[in-house]
Amino acid sequence: MTRKVALVTGGSRGIGAAVARRLAGDGFDVALTYRSAGDRAAAIVKEVEAAGGRALGLRVEAADAGALVAAVERTVRELGRLDVVVGNAGIAPYGALEEVTLEEVDRLLAVHPRASFVLAQAAARHMRDGGRIVLIGSSLAERVPYPGWTAYAMSKSALTGLVKGLARDLGPRGITANVVHPGSTDTEMNPADGPDADEERRHTALGRYCSPDDIAATVAHLAGDGGRAITGAAISVDAGVTA
Ligand code: NAP
């Protein structure tokens, strides 16, 4: 049987690396992008290959639309097809509202909704019927329990509208588009032993952080057979922080 192909942005570490590993375990060949951590991306590429898949590591700045489009084209050229894209690359600057600069706002909008739009549009040009688009948002798109996250929350909530539009545009081809909203997840971006971690845990229903594998499991569900009737949805995987 021909293997399916997934492209995961920000796959060098954290949630993206967990998604790449999980999809490889589910039988996908995987292209993954990174911004600067080439050595770490190469290590994930090796893990995917060890799981029996083909893999590709691509250096891509998410704010660079041309580079994103080129990554989609290279994936199709080198791995032969495209079935799933996961838009995960992200940043999490925060701070007092009065001090947020417009440059920071522009950067957040470029790396989150603009890059997600570019990725989805480029993928739709190459994706087979029945393909899957999964974006990684944030629980802060749905509920903001602490100050300092206004611009980040704005940049992530745009993904909810984006997947609804994509669902309607691509539904006739059987292509689904969904956003997964993680809550506090134990990565370098937000370590479970970091200075704010206890406060973050207190706001959840389950009293705990998510693991990157928790997020990857839902992405894998959306990418697999069980996801074929889910589209235009925003799915919380957040230990109940938005409950
Ligand atoms: P992470 O550990 O900091 O990893 C970020 C990944 O994105 C890395 O692969 C990084 O590449 C890549 N990246 C960052 N900025 C980039 C850019 N400008 N262009 C291209 N690639 C870029 O973060 P994470 O916690 O796994 O977060 C993944 C996604 O989940 C993000 O969208 C984040 O907003 C979202 N999220 C995280 C949490 C959480 O608590 N961790 C909660 C909600 C949502 P390099 O390794 O090369 O730097």
Side-chain angles (χ1 to χ4, degrees):
M1 237 178 73
T2 317
R3 292 170 66 91
K4 290 187 172 180
V5 173
L7 168 62
V8 182
T9 70
S12 47
R13 54 197 170 92
I15 292 170
V19 168
R21 282 192 197 100
R22 173 63 196 256
L23 292 180
D26 288 356
F28 285 83
D29 292 339
V30 181
L32 55 97
T33 76
Y34 62 97
R35 174 185 48 182
S36 53
D39 49 341
R40 303 180 66 175
I44 307 298
V45 162
K46 281 212 175 89
E47 286 189 46
V48 171
E49 288 169 345
R54 289 178 303 158
L56 204 57
L58 302 168
R59 183 172 192 155
V60 178
E61 162 54 56
D64 180 345
L68 267 176
V69 171
V72 170
E73 289 170 352
R74 206 172 142 200
T75 301
V76 174
R77 201 164 56 243
E78 296 197 21
L79 297 181
R81 54 192 274 171
L82 184 62
D83 300 278
V84 174
V85 289
V86 182
N88 161 81
I91 50 176
Y94 70 100
L97 178 66
E98 296 78 0
E99 284 160 27
V100 176
T101 65
L102 280 184
E103 286 73 23
E104 287 166 331
V105 172
D106 288 344
R107 176 97 182 128
L108 275 163
L109 295 177
V111 171
H112 295 156
R114 184 172 181 272
S116 298
F117 178 89
V118 170
L119 179 72
Q121 187 186 46
R125 292 191 182 115
H126 295 277
M127 207 170 236
R128 296 175 167 235
D129 288 2
R132 309 287 163 80
I133 297 168
V134 183
L135 305 178
I136 303 299
S138 167
S139 60
L140 295 175
E142 308 259 299
R143 181 166 179 265
V144 185
Y146 349 87
W149 289 97
T150 298
Y152 178 86
M154 174 176 72
S155 76
K156 289 293 194 177
S157 64
L159 303 184
T160 302
L162 175 53
V163 297
K164 287 180 187 297
L166 291 170
R168 294 291 177 182
D169 285 338
L170 300 174
R173 292 170 53 195
I175 296 174
T176 69
N178 297 286
V179 58
V180 174
H181 286 316
S184 301
T185 304
D186 185 17
T187 67
E188 286 163 43
M189 180 184 279
N190 185 8
D193 59 358
D196 302 324
D198 285 339
E199 172 73 1
E200 291 181 42
R201 264 186 287 272
R202 255 196 302 280
H203 282 87
T204 67
L206 295 176
R208 73 168 184 90
Y209 263 51
C210 298
S211 72
D213 287 345
D214 291 330
I215 314 305
T218 295
V219 173
H221 180 71
L222 293 169
D225 273 354
R228 65 186 179 276
I230 305 172
T231 195
I235 300 171
S236 298
V237 183
D238 64 4
V241 76
T242 53

